[in-house]
Amino acid sequence: MGLGNLLRRVTVVAGFCLALLLAGPVQAQTDAKPIDPELIEKIRKANAECFACHTEGGLKAPPVAGMDMAKLADLLVDPAVYSHSYHGNMDCKQCHGQGYVPFPHAAGAAKQVSPCEECHAVKVFKVDQQFDKSVHAQNLKGKMSCASCHDPHVAQVAAKIGDPKAIVAQDNAMCLDCHNSDLRFAQFAPEKLSLKRKRPDIDTIHAWLPNTKLHWGAVRCIECHTPEAKTQSHEIVNKDKAQKNCVACHSTASSLKTRLYRHLATAEQQRYGFANSIILKTSYVVGATRHPVVDAAILALVGLTVAGLLGHGMVRLVLAWIRRRRSP
Ligand code: HEC
Ligand code: HEC
Ligand code: HEC
Ligand code: HEC
Ligand code: HEC
Ligand code: HEC
Ligand code: HEC
């Protein structure tokens, strides 16, 4: 091996080590709180007692005879989903109290559930102020709680999910849980109005948005239904204030960069946010900047080109045939 070759290898290895060293602290920062494995094991064991009944498995092989199985079937928690949720490292009893340890459960146990503010006082205070300005505050205050949108056994932190499509799925499911279900919408709709007021169909309301279904998979309801200047807000705005401007997202200064894509590195944002902005700025997108006259002109042009090509080919074939007949 030549000296140059050896040097090159040494530099590559050194570079790799340096990269590892630099990556080390970054890794440590994202996993800020080291979790004690012994404690996790203890919590896992404690929760397994609840999962013995409150899972599909518990439903199939109940550890106790004579339970209200129909009721239990509505009270299932998926252990795998729970472990990935933001409360996944918590003992069920931290929120549900000791009343649920024995079965049959204590009579007053249901009233003992810890309210969110017991642990998230500052956040709840902030969210409440935004909620008071929200469309839901007018008639649903008191009816709608944090848990109406955030299932404490399921929801994950957006930054941890990472993939924008998965974040969109989680956040839109919160809204569509009511806005796509007549039954659940009616449970919350104001009594005095619920007879007259039917749930507006989400696709119909947004028919002005081309590729509506594609948008539901790519952007969140809150992108358009919260004040644009805010990175994150619980102030849901009505139709007068909702975003209708395509360029808010489909431009190089897309608001998505500081919102949905804020958990991504800039290079990654490019992959999601800009492909469509370039299409919209430089050419015309079917269904977006579509114009019937442009469509007709393009069709006519294509038609003429095809006719021209065919005509040319025919003439050449005929001439060749004549030439072949004339030649001896
Ligand atoms: C032996 C089976 C069993 C075990 C173990 C069990 N549960 Fe239950 N749980 C039930 C059944 C059945 C119900 C349905 C209502 C009833 O019969 O009390 C229920 C109801 C509940 C409810 C809903 C109460 C309501 O009125 O809405 C909660 C919350 C709950 N359990 C939490 C827990 C927690 C937390 C644990 C673990 C500490 C646990 N359960 C352990 C069987 C069990
Ligand atoms: C961070 C707090 C928190 C933790 C941890 C928690 N729960 Fe809950 N749980 C709640 C709240 C709040 C509700 C009431 C939801 C509502 O009002 O819709 C609830 C409701 C329930 C219900 C009734 C379901 C229903 O639809 O009404 C069951 C059963 C239950 N929890 C079981 C569990 C089990 C089992 C665990 C542990 C694996 C657990 N919970 C951990 C907060 C928590
Ligand atoms: C008994 C205490 C307790 C209760 C009650 C509780 N939480 Fe939590 N919550 C926690 C802990 C602990 C974490 C994890 C924090 C971490 O991992 O850094 C957490 C994390 C979260 C997170 C993600 C972290 C963040 O702040 O962005 C959200 C969102 C959240 N909880 C919402 C709720 C909601 C909604 C309720 C009420 C239904 C609730 N919590 C009730 C203890 C609690
Ligand atoms: C109308 C539905 C709705 C209600 C009610 C609601 N939230 Fe949220 N919440 C959301 C949505 C949607 C997001 C996602 C916003 C984002 O990631 O930018 C969110 C985000 C959050 C976050 C940040 C989580 C993360 O992934 O970074 C916290 C913390 C939070 N909410 C707490 C609360 C608390 C506390 C309450 C009750 C006082 C509450 N929310 C009520 C819909 C709701
Ligand atoms: C728990 C059920 C529920 C959830 C979750 C929910 N909504 Fe609603 N929403 C309603 C009901 C019921 C109304 C009608 C309120 C009224 O008539 O006063 C409403 C009204 C609205 C309105 C005003 C519509 C109108 O006709 O006045 C908008 C906009 C809206 N919701 C958006 C959202 C968004 C965005 C989310 C998710 C972040 C969401 N909602 C989550 C139940 C819900
Ligand atoms: C691209 C922006 C955008 C997105 C994404 C979006 N909306 Fe809308 N939404 C609007 C606009 C603009 C209106 C008003 C339409 C009109 O005036 O005809 C509206 C109207 C509504 C209304 C009727 C409001 C009223 O006051 O009558 C509801 C309810 C609603 N949206 C809910 C949702 C839900 C739920 C989602 C997520 C599945 C969502 N929106 C996603 C922009 C959006
Ligand atoms: C809240 C942000 C937002 C708004 C407002 C918005 N869009 Fe989009 N749009 C997106 C995202 C994100 C995609 C998906 C891009 C992707 O997956 O590459 C998309 C996709 C599209 C597509 C499909 C492009 C393709 O690559 O297939 C068209 C067409 C489109 N939007 C047109 C519009 C028009 C027209 C408007 C205004 C009436 C509008 N959009 C408003 C965010 C938005």
Side-chain angles (χ1 to χ4, degrees):
M1 195 194 298
L3 187 66
N5 231 335
L6 185 74
L7 266 178
R8 216 170 297 137
R9 282 188 188 196
V10 169
T11 351
V12 167
V13 171
F16 185 61
C17 290
L18 190 69
L20 270 184
L21 271 175
L22 287 176
V26 175
Q27 188 86 42
Q29 260 171 19
T30 44
D31 306 330
K33 269 177 244 155
I35 306 160
D36 178 5
E38 253 175 65
L39 183 65
I40 295 289
E41 189 51 27
K42 217 178 120 197
I43 291 169
R44 207 190 54 79
K45 274 205 183 120
N47 289 355
E49 287 173 25
C50 312
F51 287 142
C53 293
H54 288 277
T55 51
E56 291 289 347
L59 213 55
K60 280 198 198 105
V64 176
M67 290 192 285
D68 185 343
M69 299 309 279
K71 200 167 174 198
L72 184 63
D74 274 339
L75 302 169
L76 304 187
V77 177
D78 186 326
V81 173
Y82 180 76
S83 71
H84 286 107
S85 78
Y86 34 61
H87 295 131
N89 287 330
M90 284 172 70
D91 189 329
C92 313
K93 296 189 287 292
Q94 276 180 268
C95 290
H96 287 289
Q98 297 295 327
Y100 285 113
V101 177
F103 186 83
H105 296 321
K111 289 205 186 73
Q112 278 177 22
V113 184
S114 307
C116 313
E117 55 266 36
E118 192 177 300
C119 305
H120 302 288
V122 178
K123 187 73 201 181
V124 171
F125 178 74
K126 277 192 196 154
V127 171
D128 272 348
Q129 281 176 316
Q130 293 166 346
F131 183 82
D132 284 345
K133 290 187 257 166
S134 170
V135 283
H136 298 120
Q138 206 182 358
N139 294 312
L140 310 181
K141 204 170 159 67
K143 259 191 190 174
M144 200 184 235
S145 67
C146 313
S148 309
C149 291
H150 297 270
D151 186 330
H153 318 99
V154 174
Q156 302 182 38
V157 179
K160 259 199 192 157
I161 301 178
D163 175 19
K165 286 241 170 3
I167 297 175
V168 169
Q170 166 166 298
D171 288 356
N172 284 1
M174 291 181 190
C175 313
L176 293 175
D177 187 32
C178 288
H179 284 277
N180 252 358
S181 157
D182 286 327
L183 191 77
R184 192 146 159 84
F185 190 83
Q187 280 172 358
F188 284 86
E191 285 100 18
K192 54 183 192 304
L193 298 174
S194 61
L195 286 176
K196 281 181 281 174
R197 203 169 183 300
K198 291 257 312 171
R199 177 183 64 88
D201 181 68
I202 289 299
D203 288 346
T204 315
I205 301 170
H206 300 90
W208 49 271
L209 187 64
N211 301 35
T212 322
K213 286 265 187 310
L214 184 135
H215 277 97
W216 292 165
V219 285
R220 299 173 302 173
C221 316
I222 54 170
E223 241 72 72
C224 299
H225 285 281
T226 58
E228 196 188 347
K230 299 239 177 79
T231 303
Q232 190 194 78
S233 174
H234 279 80
E235 181 188 342
I236 311 292
V237 298
N238 70 5
K239 63 174 173 199
D240 302 325
K241 289 188 200 148
Q243 184 63 264
K244 215 173 184 173
N245 189 357
C246 319
V247 181
C249 296
H250 292 287
S251 75
T252 42
S254 176
S255 65
L256 291 173
K257 286 204 269 178
T258 55
R259 296 176 143 232
L260 177 59
Y261 304 151
R262 70 180 187 277
H263 308 297
L264 299 173
T266 317
E268 268 284 287
Q269 291 184 341
Q270 221 85 355
R271 203 155 66 84
Y272 292 96
F274 292 93
N276 50 74
S277 69
I278 289 164
I279 304 170
L280 269 174
K281 269 171 61 184
T282 55
S283 67
Y284 103 109
V285 182
V286 179
T289 48
R290 183 174 202 154
H291 197 283
V293 176
V294 178
D295 280 8
I298 289 176
L299 265 180
L301 211 67
V302 171
L304 280 174
T305 313
V306 172
L309 281 172
L310 281 177
H312 180 79
M314 284 299 281
V315 170
R316 285 194 65 163
L317 275 176
V318 170
L319 283 180
W321 181 72
I322 292 173
R323 233 180 286 131
R324 231 178 291 131
R325 288 204 63 181
R326 280 193 189 155
S327 56

